[in-house]
Amino acid sequence: MADDKNVTGQAAGNSSPRVLFYSHDTFGLGHLRRSRTLASAITAADQSISAIILTGSPVAGRFAFPDRVDHIRLPGVTKNPDGSYASETLGLDIDETTELRAGLIKSAAMHFNPDILIVDKEPTGFRGELIPALDWLKNKRKAHIVLGLRDVLDEPEVLAAEWERKGAIEAAEKYYDEAWVYGLRSIYDPTAGLDLSAAFRSRMKYTGYLRREVLEEGEIPDENYILITPGGGGDGASMVDLVLSAYERDPNLGPNAKLVYGPFLSGEQRAEFETRVAALDGRVQTTGFDSRMENLITGAQGIVSMGGYNTFCEMLSFDKPAVIVPRTKPRLEQYIRAHRAEELGLVRVLDEFREGLTVEAMIEAIRALPHQKKPSTAFVPGLLDGLDFVSHRSLEMLGLKDAQGVA
C-alpha cells in the first residue's frame, strides 16, 4: 500500500530517508537558525539522510547549508506596526499570501514525501498554513510528525490565550506524535499554563539545549574583544544604543567591542549608529550580518546579548561569560530565560525593572565581563545534550539506529 512503511522506517517509494523542516520565519533569524542546526546534526548522523527546510526567512540564501540539506524559500510576510501582517514583496493581501504559502508547503510535502516532519514552534503554522500538509502527511503517508519547542515560549497566561486563538492545542493533540523541548524541564516548562492532555504531555521529551560547534570555514579573530549581538536586530536598537552610550561616556572602557547589528535593523537606525561608531576611534567595530557567528563568539572574551534562544545556546556551547539585556515586548520569552539562567549562575542580567538600563550599569557590566564566571562553573547535568538526543531519536524513527550501532 502507498501509505505503508518498509522495514527501515522509510515511506514507501523513498530511495533514502528524508526529513522535512517547517520554519515559518515571519520575523528574525531564530527559527531558521534552529532548524538549520537540527538538520545539520540529523544528516550528519547517517550519510543516507536528506533534509529540506521550508522557511519564510528573507535572508535564508545568505546562510551556507551542509551537504544533503537544502531549503525552500516561502513568500515572505512582514508585520505592520498595528500587529497585522502583509506580503513582504508580492503586493498580495495576507489571505492570498497565506494560501500561496500553504499550497507550496503541501506540494513540497507531497513531492519530497518525508519520513519525518519537524515543525518549529507553531503547531498550525503561520495563520494555519500548515494544516493541509499535516492532514496529507497524517492520512496518506503516516510520516512521523514532531513539534519542536524552544525552552521558553512566553508567560503562561499570554501563551494560553495565543494557542487558544490559533487552535494550536487541538492541532498539537491531533497531529503530533511527539514534542521535543530544546531545553531542560529543570529550567523551564514552555507549556506551563496550556490545557494539554496527559497523553500529549507523555509524548513530550526534553532534549537539552542545542550545542554549537566552531565552523571549519572562516577565521577566528585573534584579538581581545567582547561581542555585541542583538540577534536579528529588528528590535535590538535600544540595546545597541546603550552599549554605544557606555563607550561614549567612558573613554577608557574596555575591552573593545565587535558589534553585529543583525540584518533586520533599519537602515536609518544603522546609519545613525555608524556616525557614533566613527567617533569612537576603532574601539567599536561593526558589521551588519555574519553567518559565521560561531567563530566570532569563539574568539570573544564575553558577550552582550538580548538573550534569544540561539545566542543563549552559543554562549553555553563556547562557555562565554554573558550579560543579557532581555526584551520584554512583545513577549517575555527572553526575560524569563535570562532570569532563570541567572538563578543558575549561567549569566548576568541587566533588568530594566531591577537596576534599570542605565549607562552606568552597562559600563560596569562591560568592564567586569572578561572576569565574570563562565557558564561551565554552574554545573547543570544534560545542559547541552539536545543534538545528541535529536539525532538518536531521528535514527530510531527512521529504523537506522540498530544498523548504525547507536547506543
Side-chain angles (χ1 to χ4, degrees):
M1 294 176 60
D3 56 358
D4 285 343
K5 293 188 179 183
N6 60 30
V7 293
T8 67
Q10 294 167 226
N14 280 1
S15 59
S16 62
R18 301 173 186 181
V19 182
L20 182 64
F21 291 83
Y22 168 80
S23 171
H24 69 285
D25 292 294
T26 58
F27 184 75
L29 294 173
H31 307 288
L32 172 61
R33 294 191 66 210
R34 184 161 50 246
S35 295
R36 175 172 166 264
T37 298
L38 292 163
S40 298
I42 292 172
T43 53
D46 189 285
Q47 295 296 309
S48 67
I49 302 172
S50 298
I52 290 178
I53 301 172
L54 299 170
T55 174
S57 173
V59 296
R62 297 170 68 178
F63 285 93
F65 291 86
D67 292 342
R68 292 172 289 107
V69 177
D70 208 338
H71 71 285
I72 296 174
R73 167 80 157 91
L74 301 172
V77 296
T78 185
K79 197 169 188 177
N80 297 320
D82 64 0
S84 64
Y85 286 93
S87 173
E88 185 177 43
T89 59
L90 293 179
L92 304 177
D93 67 35
I94 193 60
D95 290 333
E96 292 175 306
T97 304
T98 304
E99 186 175 355
L100 175 58
R101 285 170 54 114
L104 292 170
I105 293 165
K106 183 179 178 181
S107 179
M110 293 174 66
H111 289 281
F112 187 58
N113 190 20
D115 303 291
I116 305 174
L117 169 67
I118 300 176
V119 174
D120 192 75
K121 181 182 174 289
E122 297 286 348
T124 64
F126 174 67
R127 301 182 85 244
E129 68 183 4
L130 192 56
I131 296 296
L134 289 173
D135 278 328
W136 188 85
L137 288 169
K138 195 73 173 178
N139 298 324
K140 300 295 184 182
R141 285 295 181 266
K142 309 299 185 186
H144 300 280
I145 302 178
V146 177
L147 178 63
L149 300 175
R150 64 180 182 233
D151 58 338
V152 183
L153 296 174
D154 204 341
E155 55 186 319
E157 297 79 7
V158 173
L159 182 66
E162 178 184 335
W163 275 44
E164 181 177 0
R165 184 178 70 253
K166 294 179 176 179
I169 291 179
E170 180 183 357
E173 300 276 3
K174 177 179 180 180
Y175 294 110
Y176 290 89
D177 303 304
E178 292 186 5
W180 297 344
V181 179
Y182 307 127
L184 294 177
R185 187 192 300 269
S186 59
I187 292 181
Y188 196 75
D189 174 7
T191 64
L194 295 180
D195 187 21
L196 293 164
S197 69
F200 181 87
R201 291 191 178 278
S202 71
R203 302 196 298 272
M204 289 176 56
K205 303 176 186 298
Y206 287 79
T207 71
Y209 290 89
L210 306 179
R211 183 186 297 275
R212 309 304 163 89
E213 304 291 342
V214 178
L215 302 177
E216 294 181 2
E217 66 272 15
E219 297 182 356
I220 298 173
D222 184 20
E223 55 191 285
N224 293 329
Y225 66 92
I226 61 170
L227 179 67
I228 314 298
T229 169
D235 54 2
S238 60
M239 190 197 79
V240 173
D241 174 68
L242 190 62
V243 169
L244 293 181
S245 296
Y247 280 92
E248 290 165 341
R249 177 79 59 86
D250 186 347
N252 298 312
L253 180 61
N256 289 348
K258 292 186 182 296
L259 165 60
V260 181
Y261 289 119
F264 301 116
L265 182 75
S266 75
E268 180 180 351
Q269 184 69 75
R270 179 174 171 177
E272 178 186 325
F273 286 149
E274 284 294 283
T275 299
R276 296 168 62 184
V277 168
L280 290 172
D281 298 323
R283 296 164 60 214
V284 177
Q285 300 175 9
T286 64
T287 186
F289 174 73
D290 196 317
S291 64
R292 300 180 177 87
M293 286 292 289
E294 293 89 344
N295 291 345
L296 286 178
I297 292 174
T298 299
Q301 293 181 279
I303 303 167
V304 178
S305 165
M306 292 172 64
Y309 180 84
N310 289 288
T311 305
F312 185 68
C313 287
E314 290 160 344
M315 175 269 294
L316 297 178
S317 299
F318 301 115
D319 202 22
K320 297 297 178 178
V323 173
I324 294 182
V325 188
R327 71 181 181 197
T328 56
K329 296 177 181 179
R331 54 178 77 243
L332 285 179
E333 168 222 341
Q334 294 178 354
Y335 189 84
I336 294 169
R337 176 184 299 114
H339 278 277
R340 188 68 185 108
E342 187 178 58
E343 290 171 8
L344 294 170
L346 296 169
V347 303
R348 175 178 178 178
V349 178
L350 288 188
D351 184 340
E352 61 180 291
F353 305 115
R354 188 175 61 190
E355 60 266 274
L357 299 182
T358 67
V359 177
E360 291 74 18
M362 180 59 78
I363 290 172
E364 192 275 329
I366 291 173
R367 185 175 288 118
L369 188 53
H371 313 290
Q372 185 177 311
K373 287 184 178 180
K374 295 182 177 181
S376 59
T377 62
F379 178 69
V380 180
L383 186 64
L384 287 166
D385 288 351
L387 291 181
D388 289 337
F389 175 94
V390 166
S391 297
H392 293 178
R393 183 67 188 121
S394 297
L395 292 179
E396 286 180 334
M397 288 179 167
L398 296 168
L400 297 173
K401 183 173 181 180
D402 292 338
Q404 296 300 314
V406 179

